[in-house]
Every structure is written in structure tokens, then in C-alpha cells.
């Protein structure tokens, strides 16, 4: 019992904790800092945000974001500051501009092209000849007679 | 027209294969982000000198020369590994190397230099780390090549070992030297 409790306790301690190196006293500002940190890519572990990453530079950027918020900078100003130094890649949501146009619009363009391709293919196909038209009553009579003749011929 | 449409998926796949094949090039530094500072002026201004009695760092003193700026720290293990190769930058490639101690206490950085030797023409300290961030470094060690007009031209993230020097940084230096 005690062993399990101890192990569970240790497990709880090992859960990743948001670094407490510097939290802002104003809870609104602190929340802004956390939200902003989640939008910024860690340049070392590139699939993590700086909020989640243990890298030194991630910690530095978390502190820097808090300093700038405390100094009265807006979220956009802080994003600009980071992009000026690290490039658009540092934002998880790349801005929509000329150089990222292909990135944003590309998938939709491919979807539309594929759709056009399918439509052309369907239009170009010859009308459905695999299924013959229904027989008229005359033709059905003819078929019956032919079959009867064949039966009697055998 | 039908034939063209028929070939389209093959063409698209071939293009993707070519793109992925290029990405498989093992000599590429896959994780390196292109530096956002390339083509922009190096953001060094008046960093205090690290060594006893050293003046603040002034890039104007290097105007007209290609220089290397190397971010290091005493707590950084790969920095220890690359330290001996930094001298080659000066000896073989004839460019002065400026060291910047990043997020390091003055005493620790000085001890690091005293222990491993000083390959630098000048050393500055960036204790708060802001100059490193201004350069857009992803950690230490990181080395930049700055041309005679003070413009950043090249960035290498990671330790400069011998193969890196001959394969990547060296050629970059040669390309930038007049």
C-alpha cells in the first residue's frame, strides 16, 4: 500500500510542469504569456511550443515574453519581435503573405484540381453501354421463338 | 488530352519523389533553421568585455574584415568539444573570431577560457542572453560569419568540429572572402 502510494507520488512529481522561473504577478498578464508561449515554436525541439519545451532557448523566450508583456508590449509586437529574429517558422500559425501563400492555398488548389480531373474523367466516359436497353415486346417474342427453335432443333 | 490526364498522377508522384530524395541528403543539416538574420546587420552593440580590463566590444573595429562570432558558455558541453577547432578559423582561414559568453557568469566564463585556452581575438559577455536572442540563436555553441560591412552572412548551429569546418563552415568562409 505504502509502496504504491510512494510510486504514485513520484509519478505525479515527474509530470511536466510549466516552468516557474518567472510568473507575472498579474494573472491576466500571466495568462497572456502562457497563451502566447503556446503559439511560439521551440526552435530546438521544433514540434513543441516553448511552453512545453525544456530547451534553454525556450526558457529564455518564455522569460522574454513575460518581460515584454510587463513592459506593455502587445501580443502582435511580441510576435513581430520574435519573427524578426527567428523567422516566420517560429509561429505555429504562419502569417498569410506572399511567401506562405503556397503553404496556405496549396492543399485547396490540389483539391480543386483533383475535383476537376474527376469531373473531366466522368464526362469523357462513353455513355453506359454495358447494360443493354430493355427488350421491346416484339423483340421478346423473337427471342422466345429463337429459343424454341433451338430447343426443337436439338 | 486523355493521355495527358493519365500521366498527371505519375508526374506528381515523380515530383514528390524528387523532392523527398533531395531531403534525404545526409550531409544537409536537417534541423537547422535558415537564420532570419542573413543579410541583416549584426545586432552587437557595446557588449561588455569578458576578460579583466577588456573594453566593450565594438564591431566597428573590424570594419572591412570577414569575422566569425562564436556564442559559447562554460556550462555547455559541445562548446568544450569545439573550442580547440576555433583556433583553426584564425590559423587556417585567417579570420578573427569573437567570442560571446552567453548566459554565463563572468567568473565561470573566465575560468573556461583559462582552462581551455583563448582562441578569440576579443571576448564579450552576454550575461542576460539578450544579444543571443537578437541573433536568433537556437542554443550554444552557434557561430556566425559577418562581412566587412557588419552584415550577417552565414550561421552554423552546433559545435564546429573538423569535418564541419572542412565540409561546411570552411567553404562558407571561402565563398565570402574577397
Amino acid at each position: 500500500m505504502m509502496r504504491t502510494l510512494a510510486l504514485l507520488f513520484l509519478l505525479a512529481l515527474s509530470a511536466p510542469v510549466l516552468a516557474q522561473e518567472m510568473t507575472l504577478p498579474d494573472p491576466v498578464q500571466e495568462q497572456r504569456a502562457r497563451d502566447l508561449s503556446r503559439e511560439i515554436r521551440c526552435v530546438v525541439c521544433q514540434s513543441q511550443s516553448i511552453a512545453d519545451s525544456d530547451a534553454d532557448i525556450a526558457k529564455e523566450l518564455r522569460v522574454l515574453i513575460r518581460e515584454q508583456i510587463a513592459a506593455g508590449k502587445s501580443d502582435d509586437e511580441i510576435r513581430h519581435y520574435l519573427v524578426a529574429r527567428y523567422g516566420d517558422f517560429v509561429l505555429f500559425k504562419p502569417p498569410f503573405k506572399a511567401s506562405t501563400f503556397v503553404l496556405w492555398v496549396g492543399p485547396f488548389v490540389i483539391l480543386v484540381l483533383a475535383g476537376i480531373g474527376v469531373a473531366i474523367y466522368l464526362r469523357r466516359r462513353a455513355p453506359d453501354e454495358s447494360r443493354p436497353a430493355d427488350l421491346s415486346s416484339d423483340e421478346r417474342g423473337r427471342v422466345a421463338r429463337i429459343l424454341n427453335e433451338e430447343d426443337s432443333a436439338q | 488530352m486523355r493521355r495527358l490526364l493519365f500521366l498527371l498522377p505519375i508526374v506528381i508522384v515523380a515530383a514528390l519523389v524528387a523532392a523527398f530524395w533531395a531531403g534525404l541528403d545526409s550531409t544537409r543539416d536537417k534541423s537547422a533553421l535558415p537564420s532570419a538574420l542573413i543579410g541583416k546587420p549584426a545586432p552587437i552593440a557595446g557588449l561588455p568585455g569578458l576578460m579583466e580590463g577588456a573594453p566593450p566590444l565594438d564591431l566597428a573595429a573590424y570594419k572591412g574584415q570577414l569575422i566569425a562570432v562564436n556564442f559559447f558558455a562554460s556550462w555547455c558541453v559541445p562548446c568544450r568539444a569545439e573550442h580547440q577547432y576555433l583556433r583553426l578559423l584564425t590559423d587556417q582561414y585567417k579570420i578573427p573570431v569573437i567570442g560571446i559568453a552567453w548566459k554565463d557568469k563572468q567568473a565561470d566564463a573566465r575560468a573556461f577560457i583559462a582552462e581551455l585556452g583563448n582562441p578569440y581575438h576579443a571576448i564579450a559577455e552576454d550575461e542576460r542572453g539578450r544579444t543571443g536572442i537578437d541573433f536568433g540563436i537556437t542554443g550554444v555553441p552557434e557561430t556566425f560569419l559577418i562581412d566587412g560591412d557588419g552584415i550577417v552572412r552565414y550561421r552554423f548551429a552546433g559545435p564546429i568540429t573538423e569535418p564541419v569546418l572542412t565540409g561546411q563552415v570552411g567553404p562558407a568562409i571561402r565563398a565570402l572572402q574577397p
Side-chain angles (χ1 to χ4, degrees), chain A residues 1 9 15 20 24 28 30 63 69 87 94 115 120 124 149 151:
Chain A
M1 180 60 185
F9 183 64
Q20 298 295 303
L24 295 169
V28 173
E30 175 59 25
V63 171
I69 289 179
I120 293 177
R124 288 291 175 95
E149 284 169 14
D151 279 342

PDB file of all heavy atoms in Angstrom, chain A residues 1 9 15 20 24 28 30 63 69 87 94 115 120 124 149 151:
ATOM      1  N   MET A   1       0.837  -1.206   0.000  1.00  0.00           N
ATOM      2  CA  MET A   1       0.000   0.000   0.000  1.00  0.00           C
ATOM      3  C   MET A   1       0.869   1.252   0.000  1.00  0.00           C
ATOM      4  O   MET A   1       0.713   2.130  -0.823  1.00  0.00           O
ATOM      5  CB  MET A   1      -0.939  -0.027   1.234  1.00  0.00           C
ATOM      6  CG  MET A   1      -1.833   1.210   1.299  1.00  0.00           C
ATOM      7  SD  MET A   1      -2.881   1.371  -0.149  1.00  0.00           S
ATOM      8  CE  MET A   1      -3.641   2.946   0.173  1.00  0.00           C
ATOM      9  N   PHE A   9       3.075   8.988  -5.960  1.00  0.00           N
ATOM     10  CA  PHE A   9       3.541  10.322  -5.607  1.00  0.00           C
ATOM     11  C   PHE A   9       4.684  10.741  -6.519  1.00  0.00           C
ATOM     12  O   PHE A   9       4.727  11.849  -7.058  1.00  0.00           O
ATOM     13  CB  PHE A   9       3.972  10.325  -4.129  1.00  0.00           C
ATOM     14  CG  PHE A   9       4.412  11.679  -3.639  1.00  0.00           C
ATOM     15  CD1 PHE A   9       3.523  12.740  -3.591  1.00  0.00           C
ATOM     16  CD2 PHE A   9       5.719  11.894  -3.231  1.00  0.00           C
ATOM     17  CE1 PHE A   9       3.918  13.980  -3.136  1.00  0.00           C
ATOM     18  CE2 PHE A   9       6.132  13.131  -2.773  1.00  0.00           C
ATOM     19  CZ  PHE A   9       5.227  14.183  -2.721  1.00  0.00           C
ATOM     20  N   ALA A  15       5.489  14.546 -13.637  1.00  0.00           N
ATOM     21  CA  ALA A  15       4.687  15.121 -14.730  1.00  0.00           C
ATOM     22  C   ALA A  15       5.284  16.464 -15.143  1.00  0.00           C
ATOM     23  O   ALA A  15       5.751  17.210 -14.306  1.00  0.00           O
ATOM     24  CB  ALA A  15       3.247  15.300 -14.273  1.00  0.00           C
ATOM     25  N   GLN A  20       8.452  27.468 -13.565  1.00  0.00           N
ATOM     26  CA  GLN A  20       8.062  28.547 -12.681  1.00  0.00           C
ATOM     27  C   GLN A  20       9.178  29.555 -12.515  1.00  0.00           C
ATOM     28  O   GLN A  20       9.290  30.180 -11.465  1.00  0.00           O
ATOM     29  CB  GLN A  20       7.679  27.951 -11.316  1.00  0.00           C
ATOM     30  CG  GLN A  20       6.482  27.009 -11.400  1.00  0.00           C
ATOM     31  CD  GLN A  20       5.216  27.738 -11.814  1.00  0.00           C
ATOM     32  OE1 GLN A  20       4.809  28.676 -11.174  1.00  0.00           O
ATOM     33  NE2 GLN A  20       4.598  27.288 -12.888  1.00  0.00           N
ATOM     34  N   LEU A  24       4.244  36.134 -13.898  1.00  0.00           N
ATOM     35  CA  LEU A  24       3.867  37.521 -13.687  1.00  0.00           C
ATOM     36  C   LEU A  24       2.851  37.605 -12.551  1.00  0.00           C
ATOM     37  O   LEU A  24       1.967  36.753 -12.427  1.00  0.00           O
ATOM     38  CB  LEU A  24       3.268  38.098 -14.972  1.00  0.00           C
ATOM     39  CG  LEU A  24       4.254  38.196 -16.138  1.00  0.00           C
ATOM     40  CD1 LEU A  24       3.537  38.521 -17.424  1.00  0.00           C
ATOM     41  CD2 LEU A  24       5.326  39.236 -15.844  1.00  0.00           C
ATOM     42  N   VAL A  28      -3.951  38.065 -15.391  1.00  0.00           N
ATOM     43  CA  VAL A  28      -4.341  38.285 -16.786  1.00  0.00           C
ATOM     44  C   VAL A  28      -3.101  38.289 -17.678  1.00  0.00           C
ATOM     45  O   VAL A  28      -3.052  37.666 -18.729  1.00  0.00           O
ATOM     46  CB  VAL A  28      -5.115  39.613 -16.944  1.00  0.00           C
ATOM     47  CG1 VAL A  28      -5.366  39.905 -18.413  1.00  0.00           C
ATOM     48  CG2 VAL A  28      -6.426  39.554 -16.189  1.00  0.00           C
ATOM     49  N   GLU A  30      -0.215  36.968 -16.931  1.00  0.00           N
ATOM     50  CA  GLU A  30       0.404  35.644 -16.898  1.00  0.00           C
ATOM     51  C   GLU A  30      -0.307  34.727 -17.892  1.00  0.00           C
ATOM     52  O   GLU A  30       0.331  33.947 -18.600  1.00  0.00           O
ATOM     53  CB  GLU A  30       0.346  35.077 -15.476  1.00  0.00           C
ATOM     54  CG  GLU A  30       0.857  33.651 -15.313  1.00  0.00           C
ATOM     55  CD  GLU A  30       2.306  33.456 -15.730  1.00  0.00           C
ATOM     56  OE1 GLU A  30       3.085  34.432 -15.705  1.00  0.00           O
ATOM     57  OE2 GLU A  30       2.669  32.320 -16.103  1.00  0.00           O
ATOM     58  N   VAL A  63      10.812  33.751 -20.583  1.00  0.00           N
ATOM     59  CA  VAL A  63      11.124  34.891 -19.716  1.00  0.00           C
ATOM     60  C   VAL A  63      10.996  36.193 -20.496  1.00  0.00           C
ATOM     61  O   VAL A  63      10.411  37.180 -20.025  1.00  0.00           O
ATOM     62  CB  VAL A  63      12.548  34.742 -19.134  1.00  0.00           C
ATOM     63  CG1 VAL A  63      12.971  36.004 -18.415  1.00  0.00           C
ATOM     64  CG2 VAL A  63      12.612  33.551 -18.196  1.00  0.00           C
ATOM     65  N   ILE A  69       5.590  41.615 -21.956  1.00  0.00           N
ATOM     66  CA  ILE A  69       4.197  41.858 -21.563  1.00  0.00           C
ATOM     67  C   ILE A  69       4.164  42.831 -20.401  1.00  0.00           C
ATOM     68  O   ILE A  69       3.366  43.770 -20.379  1.00  0.00           O
ATOM     69  CB  ILE A  69       3.498  40.535 -21.188  1.00  0.00           C
ATOM     70  CG1 ILE A  69       3.260  39.700 -22.447  1.00  0.00           C
ATOM     71  CG2 ILE A  69       2.179  40.797 -20.480  1.00  0.00           C
ATOM     72  CD1 ILE A  69       2.606  38.365 -22.202  1.00  0.00           C
ATOM     73  N   GLY A  87      12.419  34.275 -37.756  1.00  0.00           N
ATOM     74  CA  GLY A  87      11.709  33.954 -38.997  1.00  0.00           C
ATOM     75  C   GLY A  87      10.282  33.495 -38.731  1.00  0.00           C
ATOM     76  O   GLY A  87       9.894  33.224 -37.605  1.00  0.00           O
ATOM     77  N   PRO A  94       1.724  30.294 -39.400  1.00  0.00           N
ATOM     78  CA  PRO A  94       2.489  31.233 -40.223  1.00  0.00           C
ATOM     79  C   PRO A  94       1.564  32.320 -40.771  1.00  0.00           C
ATOM     80  O   PRO A  94       0.419  32.050 -41.090  1.00  0.00           O
ATOM     81  CB  PRO A  94       3.035  30.350 -41.348  1.00  0.00           C
ATOM     82  CG  PRO A  94       2.174  29.153 -41.372  1.00  0.00           C
ATOM     83  CD  PRO A  94       1.632  28.959 -39.995  1.00  0.00           C
ATOM     84  N   GLY A 115     -10.680  17.558 -58.168  1.00  0.00           N
ATOM     85  CA  GLY A 115     -12.108  17.570 -58.469  1.00  0.00           C
ATOM     86  C   GLY A 115     -12.360  17.769 -59.957  1.00  0.00           C
ATOM     87  O   GLY A 115     -13.180  17.073 -60.569  1.00  0.00           O
ATOM     88  N   ILE A 120     -13.795  15.735 -65.359  1.00  0.00           N
ATOM     89  CA  ILE A 120     -13.444  15.512 -66.764  1.00  0.00           C
ATOM     90  C   ILE A 120     -13.506  14.026 -67.083  1.00  0.00           C
ATOM     91  O   ILE A 120     -14.061  13.620 -68.105  1.00  0.00           O
ATOM     92  CB  ILE A 120     -12.032  16.045 -67.077  1.00  0.00           C
ATOM     93  CG1 ILE A 120     -12.004  17.568 -66.971  1.00  0.00           C
ATOM     94  CG2 ILE A 120     -11.588  15.612 -68.461  1.00  0.00           C
ATOM     95  CD1 ILE A 120     -10.642  18.162 -67.189  1.00  0.00           C
ATOM     96  N   ARG A 124     -15.996  12.405 -69.877  1.00  0.00           N
ATOM     97  CA  ARG A 124     -15.414  11.842 -71.091  1.00  0.00           C
ATOM     98  C   ARG A 124     -15.800  10.380 -71.308  1.00  0.00           C
ATOM     99  O   ARG A 124     -15.673   9.861 -72.396  1.00  0.00           O
ATOM    100  CB  ARG A 124     -13.884  11.942 -71.038  1.00  0.00           C
ATOM    101  CG  ARG A 124     -13.360  13.335 -71.201  1.00  0.00           C
ATOM    102  CD  ARG A 124     -13.568  13.853 -72.597  1.00  0.00           C
ATOM    103  NE  ARG A 124     -13.168  15.236 -72.731  1.00  0.00           N
ATOM    104  CZ  ARG A 124     -11.981  15.621 -73.160  1.00  0.00           C
ATOM    105  NH1 ARG A 124     -11.078  14.715 -73.478  1.00  0.00           N
ATOM    106  NH2 ARG A 124     -11.688  16.890 -73.259  1.00  0.00           N
ATOM    107  N   GLU A 149     -37.040 -22.664 -81.256  1.00  0.00           N
ATOM    108  CA  GLU A 149     -36.487 -23.363 -82.426  1.00  0.00           C
ATOM    109  C   GLU A 149     -35.250 -24.155 -82.048  1.00  0.00           C
ATOM    110  O   GLU A 149     -35.072 -25.304 -82.450  1.00  0.00           O
ATOM    111  CB  GLU A 149     -36.121 -22.391 -83.537  1.00  0.00           C
ATOM    112  CG  GLU A 149     -37.357 -21.867 -84.305  1.00  0.00           C
ATOM    113  CD  GLU A 149     -36.973 -20.710 -85.220  1.00  0.00           C
ATOM    114  OE1 GLU A 149     -35.739 -20.504 -85.447  1.00  0.00           O
ATOM    115  OE2 GLU A 149     -37.876 -20.052 -85.731  1.00  0.00           O
ATOM    116  N   ASP A 151     -34.499 -25.334 -79.151  1.00  0.00           N
ATOM    117  CA  ASP A 151     -34.865 -26.493 -78.337  1.00  0.00           C
ATOM    118  C   ASP A 151     -35.355 -27.631 -79.238  1.00  0.00           C
ATOM    119  O   ASP A 151     -34.934 -28.781 -79.083  1.00  0.00           O
ATOM    120  CB  ASP A 151     -36.006 -26.105 -77.374  1.00  0.00           C
ATOM    121  CG  ASP A 151     -35.422 -25.374 -76.166  1.00  0.00           C
ATOM    122  OD1 ASP A 151     -34.205 -25.489 -75.948  1.00  0.00           O
ATOM    123  OD2 ASP A 151     -36.176 -24.684 -75.444  1.00  0.00           O
TER     124      ASP A 151
END
